[in-house]
Amino acid sequence: MATIRDVAREAGVSTATVSRVYNGSRLVTETTTQIVLEAAARLDYWPNNAARSLSTNRTHVLGVVLPDLFDEFFSEIIRGIDHAARARRHQIILSCFHDNADELIATARSMRGRIDGLIAMAPDARSAQAIAEISRHFPVILLNPGFAVENCGSVGIANREGARSVVRHLRSFGHRRIAILRGPVGNTDAEERLRGYREAIGAGETQHQPLELQGDFSKSSGVLACDALLRFDPLPDAVFAANDYMAIGLLTALLEKGIRVPEDIAVAGFDDIALARYTNPPLTTVTADAYRLGATAVRRWFSASADGGSGHQRDILPTRLVVRESCGAGRSGPDTTDTETRHQHESNAGGPS
Amino acid sequence: MATIRDVAREAGVSTATVSRVYNGSRLVTETTTQIVLEAAARLDYWPNNAARSLSTNRTHVLGVVLPDLFDEFFSEIIRGIDHAARARRHQIILSCFHDNADELIATARSMRGRIDGLIAMAPDARSAQAIAEISRHFPVILLNPGFAVENCGSVGIANREGARSVVRHLRSFGHRRIAILRGPVGNTDAEERLRGYREAIGAGETQHQPLELQGDFSKSSGVLACDALLRFDPLPDAVFAANDYMAIGLLTALLEKGIRVPEDIAVAGFDDIALARYTNPPLTTVTADAYRLGATAVRRWFSASADGGSGHQRDILPTRLVVRESCGAGRSGPDTTDTETRHQHESNAGGPS
DNA sequence: CACAATCATGTAAACGCTTACATTAGCATG
DNA sequence: CATGCTAATGTAAGCGTTTACATGATTGTG
């Protein structure tokens, strides 16, 4: 394979000049540039990135570490990251890990010299700690952590405001007794959504009996919750399930018992999984833009690394209510409404080359 | 950041010895190894991969280039690739491209010195050509190309045999007049599926009127095809849609017209998208194991690179018929049956290192 | 026209590893 | 005890770039 020296010889210039051509230095004459490029083409030369990285200490590669649970949400995140990175002429190294903090840290370490930074999703506190360790070496951005981690920027979604918008929506149809089907205890998304629900309910002051059911984000827990729901007396007007899977389980169970949705009881979910549009009735839910989550993480990474890598700024991405028919909306209404959650610390993106 | 020299000094040995420790040379004493590792730990040393790659000319990284259409299928492919690569202590650089051969080639070129090989999906002949060019530099494996490409290994799925198994399944319910809803002209998957269908039909010799409809893989083309389908006289017993989206469109349209599935007409699809299990009735279809497709590509890459990178072996992965209710199967039957397509050239995986 | 300033290019020393080859020490052998 | 062999370690030359600094050519200025 041709090296920069071969090109230099072929073009009759020094390696420095060739290098300058490839790095866009303005110090090289137009004619020299042409000569060099032609020589390079003749030899099929392409710069060796390993050598470049060694010399410059920059790789133009971003590490991405995600849990092993692949689904539409994750692939959208990756797509967002890839596009944003590509727009800034960076590439990404992807690694999944298997809910094991040690493996995570080993992965991240083994990337030393291969990446300029890291975007990671830490499932638990221990992994987050491990990541904080890593952030001494290069900027790290956490995706949707529930907690603040020292020295790491982070990007999350507006769970609370999303939950509030669901309750507001249900209210707008006159529903007053609104139940919630909670997600797993300890899960940050679940707890933020619960908080949003409580705030919205509290604000309305129409509810005297707590209408909270425990679920675990699985479809079957939605099915199970149906019985408990029916034991409330009088029957609630509506249920907000903290994610779509539970909402779908609930829908199935209700359908089976002959209870009509939304006539007898309204149901809403959270996440807007692909399936939500095909349930019977189509599920009103909240969408979080996974693509944007990924893209924002990249943007945040670039600004962090321009700042020298420190700081722990946080972005919260807005969610959007997706109105379908499970809460009583007819086909005539607007299809979606924006919850207008404000971005925090949103900064513009111009990173370094 | 600590370098190998710092560690050598700290441990009181030469850099060569430190290097040997990290590369598992058996030439180092147990005690020396301990001393070195402790020194390294004290300094928080981790080898710099850029320097390593420059020196050894190997990166332990695989490039992965996929089209920009992310969905479950692609994310499963990536998952398969990641797992298989990780099992061999390799990492992956992921890049999407936007159906543009130039961009593809630029991407691949820009990876020079960053990767040891490439796994790519080429959407058209031009991209495939571009990739063949690249394969002069390192081993390349193509994912599911319709055509053979010089010097590239490839891994595909058994479209033809899958289609045949659908027809066989339909036959087993006594269906004789079996129509097909074709995919887009020029698309390799579509054409292979059509071929499989024709072979199976021809083998049965019961059909005198060609029952072929044109679609384009979209749901709406399935909806449109409904009218054309009903114009056949007498009505076919069954329709094989060349992918699930079209099958789903067709199901919707039939339902709307009051035509019962599978009582009046049976419907089958291909791909087993997540949705297929939730349609009404649940859709009988064919599944291709995307995870395995990715994993096999990695395996193939390792054996190719052990061979010195040449050769154009091809794997064809078996498909599996997923029997649900849209063709007449009751709940009592077996859930799935294997079409038992044989692997071709399947070799075992022990890669180097 | 002498001088300085600017521009285009060259020279060569890093960057942090690996590894061929050299060296040394220890040990068995005749 | 000289010799040869092996095992453990050291020395130093790359690997292919970038870039600070040096150099020579060109231009502008008083």
Side-chain angles (χ1 to χ4, degrees):
Chain A
M1 270 202 184
T3 73
I4 201 173
R5 250 180 285 269
D6 299 326
V7 177
R9 195 181 320 116
E10 173 89 8
V13 297
S14 70
T15 60
T17 300
V18 178
S19 174
R20 285 196 264 263
V21 167
Y22 275 89
N23 290 290
S25 162
R26 301 189 300 92
L27 251 47
V28 192
T29 316
E30 183 59 33
T31 36
T32 314
T33 301
Q34 280 313 315
I35 292 171
V36 168
L37 289 180
E38 277 158 22
R42 245 174 284 136
L43 300 176
D44 193 25
Y45 166 79
W46 283 91
N48 180 314
N49 286 297
R52 260 184 162 163
S53 301
L54 181 58
S55 192
T56 59
N57 208 23
R58 310 207 61 235
T59 62
H60 284 239
V61 176
L62 225 49
V64 177
V65 181
L66 295 179
D68 193 29
L69 323 148
F70 258 61
D71 60 13
E72 337 143 27
F73 191 73
F74 286 99
S75 55
E76 276 299 298
I77 291 181
I78 294 172
R79 213 166 61 92
I81 292 177
D82 181 69
H83 282 199
R86 156 180 307 254
R88 295 169 176 78
R89 340 214 81 209
H90 278 235
Q91 292 183 315
I92 66 179
I93 284 201
L94 181 66
S95 233
C96 318
F97 68 98
H98 320 275
D99 35 69
N100 174 338
D102 294 326
E103 202 177 344
L104 192 163
I105 211 174
T107 300
R109 281 204 154 130
S110 71
M111 287 178 169
R112 158 100 200 270
R114 257 207 268 279
I115 60 178
D116 291 338
L118 192 64
I119 294 179
M121 196 156 192
D124 56 45
R126 183 142 178 273
S127 319
Q129 188 51 46
I131 289 180
E133 195 84 5
I134 292 163
S135 74
R136 288 200 325 237
H137 297 307
F138 36 64
V140 174
I141 304 291
L142 287 170
L143 283 179
N144 206 24
F147 27 79
V149 175
E150 232 181 324
N151 272 334
C152 295
S154 61
V155 183
I157 63 169
N159 281 306
R160 234 160 84 209
E161 175 55 22
R164 270 188 256 139
S165 75
V166 169
V167 174
R168 275 202 300 272
H169 178 66
L170 289 167
R171 276 250 173 65
S172 77
F173 289 105
H175 302 317
R176 286 299 172 265
R177 285 173 57 74
I178 302 173
I180 184 172
L181 176 48
R182 300 169 50 168
V185 178
N187 179 294
T188 332
D189 289 321
E191 302 200 327
E192 287 294 294
R193 289 167 194 180
L194 175 63
R195 240 173 102 192
Y197 160 84
R198 283 180 179 162
E199 288 168 5
I201 292 299
E205 291 174 37
T206 53
Q207 200 143 6
H208 301 297
Q209 176 195 6
L211 298 172
E212 299 185 0
L213 297 168
Q214 185 64 47
D216 65 2
F217 273 174
S218 75
K219 190 176 160 186
S220 58
S221 77
V223 173
L224 287 177
C226 184
D227 285 333
L229 178 69
L230 298 181
R231 246 176 267 127
F232 284 129
D233 181 31
L235 192 68
D237 305 321
V239 193
F240 163 43
N243 80 343
D244 285 351
Y245 287 112
M246 296 196 298
I248 288 169
L250 189 58
L251 281 181
T252 325
L254 288 168
L255 190 70
E256 216 156 81
K257 289 209 158 52
I259 299 172
R260 295 166 307 161
V261 176
E263 292 83 355
D264 299 332
I265 189 167
V267 173
F270 203 115
D271 284 344
D272 194 28
I273 65 176
L275 206 55
R277 129 190 15 236
Y278 299 104
T279 54
N280 177 22
L283 184 66
T284 288
T285 182
V286 176
T287 183
D289 190 337
Y291 178 94
R292 191 164 159 196
L293 186 61
T296 306
V298 172
R299 194 142 25 110
R300 168 62 56 227
W301 180 81
F302 269 87
S303 64
S305 80
D307 288 1
S310 61
H312 45 271
Q313 301 196 32
R314 182 164 171 76
D315 289 294
I316 305 288
L317 296 187
T319 54
R320 195 162 45 86
L321 186 67
V322 180
V323 176
R324 299 210 179 90
E325 293 159 37
S326 67
C327 297
R331 276 141 208 260
S332 54
D335 193 55
T336 61
T337 77
D338 210 294
T339 62
E340 284 299 343
T341 301
R342 243 190 23 266
H343 289 211
Q344 296 173 10
H345 305 294
E346 192 65 307
S347 67
N348 68 14
S353 156
Chain B
M1 271 200 183
T3 75
I4 201 173
R5 249 181 285 269
D6 299 325
V7 177
R9 196 182 320 116
E10 173 88 7
V13 298
S14 71
T15 61
T17 301
V18 178
S19 175
R20 288 192 187 102
V21 167
Y22 275 89
N23 290 292
S25 162
R26 300 189 302 89
L27 250 48
V28 193
T29 316
E30 182 60 31
T31 35
T32 314
T33 303
Q34 281 313 315
I35 292 171
V36 168
L37 288 181
E38 277 158 23
R42 244 174 286 136
L43 300 176
D44 194 25
Y45 167 77
W46 284 91
N48 180 315
N49 286 297
R52 260 185 161 159
S53 302
L54 180 58
S55 190
T56 60
N57 208 24
R58 310 206 61 235
T59 62
H60 283 241
V61 176
L62 226 51
V64 176
V65 183
L66 295 179
D68 193 28
L69 323 149
F70 258 62
D71 60 15
E72 336 143 28
F73 191 75
F74 286 99
S75 55
E76 276 300 297
I77 292 181
I78 295 173
R79 215 164 61 91
I81 292 177
D82 180 67
H83 283 197
R86 157 181 306 254
R88 295 168 176 80
R89 341 213 81 209
H90 278 235
Q91 293 184 316
I92 66 178
I93 284 202
L94 179 68
S95 234
C96 317
F97 68 97
H98 320 273
D99 36 69
N100 175 337
D102 294 326
E103 200 176 346
L104 192 163
I105 211 173
T107 300
R109 281 205 154 130
S110 73
M111 287 179 170
R112 159 100 199 273
R114 258 207 267 279
I115 60 177
D116 291 338
L118 193 64
I119 294 180
M121 197 157 191
D124 56 46
R126 183 141 178 273
S127 320
Q129 188 51 46
I131 288 180
E133 195 84 6
I134 292 163
S135 75
R136 286 201 326 239
H137 298 308
F138 39 62
V140 175
I141 304 293
L142 287 171
L143 283 180
N144 207 23
F147 26 79
V149 175
E150 232 181 327
N151 272 334
C152 294
S154 61
V155 183
I157 63 170
N159 280 308
R160 234 161 82 209
E161 175 55 20
R164 271 189 256 138
S165 74
V166 169
V167 174
R168 274 201 303 272
H169 177 68
L170 290 167
R171 276 250 172 65
S172 75
F173 290 103
H175 302 317
R176 286 298 171 269
R177 286 175 54 76
I178 301 174
I180 184 173
L181 176 49
R182 301 170 48 167
V185 178
N187 178 295
T188 333
D189 289 320
E191 302 201 326
E192 286 294 294
R193 290 168 194 179
L194 176 63
R195 239 172 101 192
Y197 160 85
R198 283 180 179 162
E199 288 168 5
I201 292 297
E205 291 174 36
T206 53
Q207 200 143 4
H208 301 298
Q209 175 195 6
L211 298 172
E212 300 184 358
L213 297 168
Q214 186 65 48
D216 64 2
F217 272 172
S218 74
K219 187 176 162 186
S220 58
S221 76
V223 173
L224 288 176
C226 185
D227 284 335
L229 179 68
L230 298 181
R231 248 175 266 127
F232 283 130
D233 184 31
L235 192 68
D237 304 320
V239 194
F240 164 42
N243 79 344
D244 285 350
Y245 287 111
M246 295 195 299
I248 288 169
L250 189 57
L251 280 182
T252 325
L254 288 168
L255 189 71
E256 213 155 84
K257 290 209 156 55
I259 298 171
R260 292 166 311 159
V261 177
E263 291 84 353
D264 299 332
I265 189 166
V267 173
F270 203 116
D271 285 344
D272 193 28
I273 64 176
L275 206 55
R277 131 190 13 236
Y278 300 103
T279 53
N280 178 21
L283 184 66
T284 288
T285 181
V286 175
T287 182
D289 190 338
Y291 178 94
R292 191 166 159 195
L293 186 61
T296 306
V298 172
R299 196 144 20 112
R300 170 63 53 230
W301 179 81
F302 269 86
S303 64
S305 81
D307 289 1
S310 61
H312 46 272
Q313 301 196 31
R314 181 164 169 77
D315 290 294
I316 306 287
L317 295 187
T319 53
R320 195 162 47 84
L321 185 67
V322 179
V323 177
R324 298 207 180 92
E325 295 159 33
S326 67
C327 295
R331 277 142 208 257
S332 55
D335 192 57
T336 62
T337 78
D338 209 295
T339 62
E340 282 300 340
T341 303
R342 245 191 20 269
H343 289 213
Q344 297 172 11
H345 306 296
E346 192 64 305
S347 65
N348 67 16
S353 169

